[in-house]
Amino acid sequence: MRILPILRVIWLIPYMWIKGLLNKNKDLATNYALCHKNSKRLLRYMGYKLNIRGLENVENDGVLFVCNHQGTIDPLLICAALKKPLSFISKKENEKLPLMGRWAQNIKTIHFDRETREGNVYMLRESLRYLKNKQNLLLFPEGTRSKGDKMNDFKEKSLQIALMSKVTIVPVSISGAYCLDRKDVNIKDLYITFDKAIKYEEYKNMSAEELGEHVHKIIENNIISLEA
């Protein structure tokens, strides 16, 4: 992991920790607005420039955002780019992270134990409830960081949520977000692309596997190769 970008923002951590603790009982919109502001701030102070494409494709609420998973700062890119409040679906271990875990709880992240049937049932039930209530959700179907431009395969039936909830899907492609995780690359320009929304009518006849392959290909085609 690269240390210099972290050192540039370490002075902000006590403030963000205290603010996150004080805000724990506030509503999603309030907490997400602050998360959006601080994400942009952190990226700027760390020395990264975020290039955003396709925001015009994000119109409605109750959307399932499906994104590739490159590195530690993926959530920063997403929250910095998107003003609309959204919650993440994340593994339970992330709930215990000192700073990120607190803020993840503040924006109503669904933390679940992906190794157990009960955990996966809980995640599915909560995801359907969120989407039914017009709350935006973001899913990383790869399940683990790729730490590069090449994507991992999606987890089996990871897009079953979309088929069950019949919601609009917005594919999201991030590029360069492994910049903090690897010492062999020196990337300053980061990219996030929101692709054209996919309505339920367009995918209702697909299986979960077919839908996953379709969305995987869309995201893969939008990733900008920065590993040189």
Side-chain angles (χ1 to χ4, degrees):
M1 182 170 284
R2 301 180 73 89
I3 302 300
L4 184 57
I6 297 173
L7 293 177
R8 288 173 177 159
V9 297
I10 200 166
W11 59 277
L12 271 172
I13 292 177
Y15 159 77
M16 292 183 66
W17 183 81
I18 293 170
K19 193 69 176 175
L21 199 60
L22 292 175
N23 279 26
K24 66 179 181 178
N25 295 320
K26 292 191 175 181
D27 61 275
L28 172 62
T30 300
N31 277 328
Y32 188 84
L34 189 57
C35 193
H36 171 69
K37 177 182 176 181
N38 283 331
S39 295
K40 293 197 297 183
R41 194 179 184 188
L42 284 169
L43 287 174
R44 185 172 70 251
Y45 288 161
M46 291 169 81
Y48 300 122
K49 178 185 176 184
L50 180 59
N51 301 276
I52 306 168
R53 306 186 302 178
L55 269 181
E56 68 276 6
N57 293 319
V58 183
E59 297 179 355
N60 302 318
D61 288 314
V63 167
L64 180 64
F65 293 91
V66 180
C67 187
N68 61 314
H69 195 7
Q70 287 194 336
T72 301
I73 63 170
D74 290 355
L76 286 184
L77 273 69
I78 295 156
C79 291
L82 198 63
K83 289 185 179 180
K84 282 180 174 289
L86 89 163
S87 302
F88 291 82
I89 299 173
S90 180
K91 62 183 181 181
K92 192 169 183 62
E93 295 90 324
N94 290 340
E95 191 174 15
K96 304 298 182 183
L97 296 175
L99 179 62
M100 292 180 67
R102 175 70 269 161
W103 275 104
Q105 291 178 56
N106 284 3
I107 61 170
K108 313 300 182 186
T109 294
I110 299 172
H111 290 105
F112 75 107
D113 184 353
R114 59 187 182 183
E115 302 301 324
T116 67
R117 180 180 179 277
E118 291 77 10
N120 282 278
V121 169
Y122 167 79
M123 180 273 291
L124 186 59
R125 184 179 69 243
E126 288 299 290
S127 298
L128 295 174
R129 181 174 69 84
Y130 277 37
L131 292 166
K132 182 180 179 181
N133 291 330
K134 300 298 182 183
Q135 187 167 332
N136 299 313
L137 267 182
L138 186 134
L139 172 68
F140 294 114
E142 292 168 275
T144 188
R145 294 169 292 168
S146 62
K147 296 186 181 181
D149 295 323
K150 184 175 174 56
M151 290 176 66
N152 297 315
D153 292 335
F154 283 178
K155 296 295 184 182
E156 186 180 6
K157 295 186 178 180
S158 56
L159 294 191
Q160 188 68 37
I161 298 167
L163 287 163
M164 293 178 70
S165 59
K166 303 180 181 180
V167 295
T168 295
I169 298 169
V170 173
V172 183
S173 308
I174 54 179
S175 303
Y178 48 86
C179 54
L180 197 67
D181 300 81
R182 291 173 48 178
K183 294 181 179 180
D184 62 325
V185 293
N186 186 21
I187 296 170
K188 299 298 181 185
D189 278 284
L190 312 180
Y191 294 84
I192 182 166
T193 302
F194 297 91
D195 207 278
K196 182 181 177 182
I198 308 170
K199 306 292 186 182
Y200 174 66
E201 289 72 22
E202 299 175 54
Y203 68 81
K204 65 181 181 180
N205 294 322
M206 297 182 185
S207 66
E209 291 81 3
E210 289 169 337
L211 180 57
E213 290 173 6
H214 178 60
V215 177
H216 188 286
K217 186 174 181 179
I218 291 172
I219 295 172
E220 194 172 47
N221 286 342
N222 281 322
I223 293 175
I224 300 167
S225 182
L226 300 172
E227 274 196 55

